[in-house]
Structure formats: structure tokens, C-alpha cells
Amino acid sequence: MPSAYDRLPLGALRVFEAVASHLSFSAAADSLNVTPAAVSQQIKMLEGYIQVPLFRRNGRRVEITDEGLELLPAVRAGLDKLESALQQIKHFRRAGPLQITTLASFLQIWLLPRIRSFRRKYPNIELRFHTSRELVDFSRTANHVAIRFGHGNYPNLHSEKFLDDWLVPVASPDLIKQYGTMERGTDLSRYPLLESGDEPWSAWSKIDEEDAWLSRAPSIDDSAGLLAAAEEGLGFVLARWTLVTRALAKGTLKLAGRGALPYGSAYYFVCPKSFLALPKVAQFREWLLAAAHDFPAPGPGLGPDPTPAPGSGPREAR
């Protein structure tokens, strides 16, 4: 018995969407990696199937007809659903690498030094990392897991906090010898400062002195780069505890003051709820939560100060 889809020109619908997006047969052909003649043939086939014109040619210009505008939203919605379904099937292959998108600084400083233990425990799982701070569309990418720094507001996804963070002032040992330490409320204009938009010195200051130091504080819009500059002795930084503990252990940086400010954001394990059934996702989640549980919070000598750091808002940190 013939199917209702037997004559449906699915390939032509994809070509129609491309022409409607570019309003150009040649640009659509380039995007689809076919010839303009092939594009024209597919559009003629589709127009013959529905018996209405979809485009008007006016010299080199291409205009979409009212019927084309009426058809376009349904075609795009259908193609989106097909793409999403195909990605879901692709994700659920048990073979292949585990695709993880995470922040570059977190990957470089916190995650990679611990990955050896994961590989010892799960030698058959290949890991593939992608760095980004943007929210991820799992239906359109190959990612299985996202590690994000924020407030956990990721609708329709499994979002699980696994690691808190704090802000602490640090500097190179030589710089601390030269300028001394800085307690909260200290006049910050006395110190050479470095900062980023994610870890602002206004979180540490208790007095109205921002104008005095803000004009002198070079900004580095990357947490790993900020710590590298601090290790070079270029200035004091207010750093995330998760990212600075290795430098403190090595002695390339030292704490420059007492008190650890709880950060208003935390690290979250994020994925589609259905992906938790994948063994490689479940195993990575279990390992990650255990590694975070073993990570030490700031000790009693640092505080912590119970007041969350002001300005540590909903931005995705680097």
C-alpha cells in the first residue's frame, strides 16, 4: 500500500528553505553545495507538486510569494524536528566519544589535572572537550554534557550543582613583600590591581573608593589569563578559589588577605534529562560529583565571609 509520503518532495523542501533564507538561487546553491540549475529544478518540482508559485524572479532579484511565506514556517518547523530527532538518535549511540562543553578556564586549571583518574576508571570512554561560555542547544550540536558557571537556570534540562566557589585576593610572593596584604576595607588605591568583569574588586572593597582604583586597574577578560598575569607579578587579583588552589599549592601565588567571599554563582552539570540514561554520561557525572566532593573549600583561616560577593551575578564566567 503506497505511503502518504511517497511523493512528498522532501529534498525540494530543504532547497526551498535555503532559497527563502538567502533570496538568491546562487547563494542557496552555494550553501547546499549544488549548482544553481539543480536548485532551480528542485523549486520547479516543488511548485509543480503544490501547483502554486513560491518565488518571483525580477531580474537578479528573487522575491518570495505570499504562498511561499505561508509555507515557510511549517517547512522550517518540520526541518527543525527532523534535525532534532536525528541528533537524538546520534547521541544515543553507545559508541563514540563523550562530548563535553565547558569553560576554558575550568577545563585548563581544574578539570584536566583530574582527568587521569577518570581515564584510569573508565579507559574505554573517549572524552572530547569543547570550550564555550555560551548556553548550548543540545538538539543542534553533538554535545552530551555542559559544565556551566551560573545559577542553574537551564530550562527543560537536567541541571545539578556540583561545586561552589569563593573569591580570594592573591598576588605573587614578591608583590606581597613589596605592598603587603590587603584586608577588606583597605584603601585599594595603594595596590597595583588586575581585574576582570567576572571577578571585580568592588566585591572586596567596603569603602567608597572605586573611582580611585578603577581607573588604574587593567582588565583581562579571561580568568586563566588573569591568573597568569598575577603569577608574572603584574598585579593583585581577586580570584576564584577553584582556579587558584593549584597556584597556591605551587607557591607561584599567595593569599593576599583574610576572608573568602562566597560567589553568587556555582558550577552546574547540565544535560538533557534523557541523556542521563547513557552509561558514558552517567559515569562521567558520577566521577565529576565525586571529584568535586573531594575538592577542599577555603579553610578556617580564610573565613569564609558569609556575605555573597556583590556583582557575582548571572553572567557565565570564563
Side-chain angles (χ1 to χ4, degrees), residues 109 166-172 175-176 180 182 188 191-204 213 217-241 243-245 247-248 252-257 259 261:
I109 300 176
W166 297 262
L167 288 174
V168 294
V170 298
S172 68
L175 216 58
I176 292 176
M182 47 168 63
L188 293 180
Y191 300 88
L193 303 178
L194 299 167
E195 75 167 355
S196 75
D198 297 315
E199 292 91 31
W201 276 107
S202 57
W204 188 253
W213 54 261
S219 181
I220 300 175
D221 199 14
D222 174 79
S223 296
L226 193 67
L227 292 179
E231 289 180 303
E232 292 295 328
L234 299 181
F236 288 72
V237 302
L238 197 59
R240 299 214 300 276
W241 176 253
L243 303 183
V244 81
T245 50
L248 293 175
T252 54
L253 291 176
K254 284 191 171 183
L255 292 168
L261 304 176

